[in-house]
Amino acid sequence: MKRMITVLTVLIALAGGAASPAVAAEVMDIIKKANHMAYYQGKDGRARVVMAITDAQGRAREREFVILRRDDDGEEDAGQKFYVYFNKPADVKKTVFMVHKNLDRDDDRWLYLPALDLVKRIAASDERTSFVGSHFFYEDVSGRGIYEDTHELVEENDAVYVIKSTPKDPAAVEFAYYINWIHKKTFLPVKTLYYDSEGKLYRTYSALKVNPVDGHPTVTRAQMEDHRSGGKTVMEYTDVNYDTDLPEDIFSERYLRKPPRKYLR
């Protein structure tokens, strides 16, 4: 597939068209497919990321990092490991964020801070806090468990499924519910709106650009807006590769202080 899919343009054009809300597939099947496309394409993956953070006053700063991902052997779309290594700016250079994603318990998350030579465990209660000063959360990077919420198909048109997800444990999260637009052709989540307990929209995720990479439709530009603070963060993905045979041992605490440079170039 050579053409670039400008998802939001397509969706805005199509979303206004009336369509039957009839359930085209079981909602959980849609959620599983969307989760696979967002986080599990290929058996592993690598990308270089530039993250542009802009506050409400228009002040901008950038961070650059490489993200590695490897799926655990065995059951499909189950455990995963993520390794994020920061290259810029100087004050975060060599910082490492690592996640072991678990389906049967809370994820394990570590943050290595080179200035302090400190490995910090990130508590489950902190997973929905800012990812290294951006408007994305730690949980946005590695994904939210699909069984942590109940899901309801609220709208459907030729382009998307619109699904409302409500947390099973409201006390554990800051949102009351979120609404996801899932592209029918690719099953990629292309827009997510988060609402608080008063029903106010306070956070919006948008997939701004999708490109085919090694046969996989891949989000290569994404944005998170914080409507309370007025700021936003845009992530640009380049040098994306799948199925690179990343070894499992580099996703261990030993490699927090000794980054696997061969895979980070």
Side-chain angles (χ1 to χ4, degrees):
M1 183 169 61
K2 297 295 184 183
R3 70 186 178 86
M4 177 188 299
I5 304 168
T6 308
V7 176
L8 287 186
T9 302
V10 173
L11 295 183
I12 290 169
L14 292 175
S20 167
V23 177
E26 292 294 334
V27 175
M28 204 59 202
D29 286 342
I30 298 170
I31 292 295
K32 287 179 179 178
K33 290 178 181 177
N35 188 53
H36 175 85
M37 295 303 291
Y39 295 103
Y40 288 93
Q41 295 195 76
K43 63 182 180 182
D44 63 29
R46 177 194 179 280
R48 191 173 297 278
V49 182
V50 175
M51 190 165 67
I53 306 166
T54 306
D55 67 16
Q57 287 72 47
R59 295 172 296 196
R61 52 201 168 99
E62 282 193 352
R63 300 189 187 283
E64 293 184 18
F65 57 86
V66 174
I67 183 168
L68 309 176
R69 187 215 87 211
R70 186 184 191 280
D71 295 354
D72 292 346
D73 296 330
E75 185 180 356
E76 187 180 32
D77 294 357
Q80 280 185 315
K81 295 178 175 63
F82 292 87
Y83 187 103
V84 180
Y85 180 82
F86 286 81
N87 290 307
K88 294 180 180 178
D91 63 336
V92 298
K93 185 176 175 62
K94 299 182 181 179
T95 296
V96 179
F97 170 58
M98 186 171 71
V99 180
H100 289 185
K101 191 172 177 178
N102 308 303
L103 294 191
D104 58 346
R105 62 187 188 281
D106 290 334
D107 296 346
D108 298 303
R109 291 179 168 86
W110 296 263
L111 189 66
Y112 172 62
L113 303 171
L116 303 174
D117 192 25
L118 175 68
V119 174
K120 176 184 176 184
R121 290 293 296 264
I122 299 174
S125 57
D126 291 335
E127 62 191 11
R128 293 196 60 79
T129 59
S130 170
F131 172 60
V132 292
S134 76
H135 299 91
F136 286 86
F137 291 165
Y138 286 102
E139 191 175 68
D140 297 323
V141 176
S142 54
R144 178 172 173 78
I146 61 175
Y147 297 105
E148 294 184 74
D149 307 314
T150 57
H151 308 283
E152 174 190 4
L153 180 66
V154 295
E155 186 181 342
E156 179 183 354
N157 59 39
D158 292 342
V160 294
Y161 299 108
V162 182
I163 293 180
K164 178 180 179 181
S165 299
T166 306
K168 294 177 181 177
D169 181 6
V173 293
E174 86 291 352
F175 62 84
Y177 64 92
Y178 59 93
I179 297 178
N180 226 338
W181 276 253
I182 297 172
H183 187 244
K184 276 189 169 179
K185 186 174 181 180
T186 63
F187 279 93
L188 282 172
V190 292
K191 184 171 71 172
T192 309
L193 306 181
Y194 292 87
Y195 293 85
D196 64 18
S197 59
E198 296 179 349
K200 293 182 178 177
L201 173 67
Y202 70 97
R203 203 163 174 258
T204 298
Y205 164 84
S206 303
L208 302 179
K209 186 182 291 184
V210 176
N211 286 109
V213 178
D214 299 338
H216 302 289
T218 301
V219 175
T220 54
R221 182 178 170 87
Q223 175 177 276
M224 187 69 77
E225 297 177 85
D226 184 332
H227 303 297
R228 288 171 174 161
S229 72
K232 67 179 181 182
T233 295
V234 175
M235 287 196 190
E236 292 268 5
Y237 297 79
T238 59
D239 298 331
V240 181
N241 293 288
Y242 293 101
D243 298 323
T244 58
D245 292 327
L246 295 173
E248 184 172 10
D249 65 342
I250 65 174
F251 297 88
S252 64
E253 287 193 60
R254 184 161 66 94
Y255 281 92
L256 293 174
R257 287 186 170 87
K258 296 182 179 179
R261 300 197 179 280
K262 172 182 175 182
Y263 302 100
L264 297 170
R265 295 183 186 126

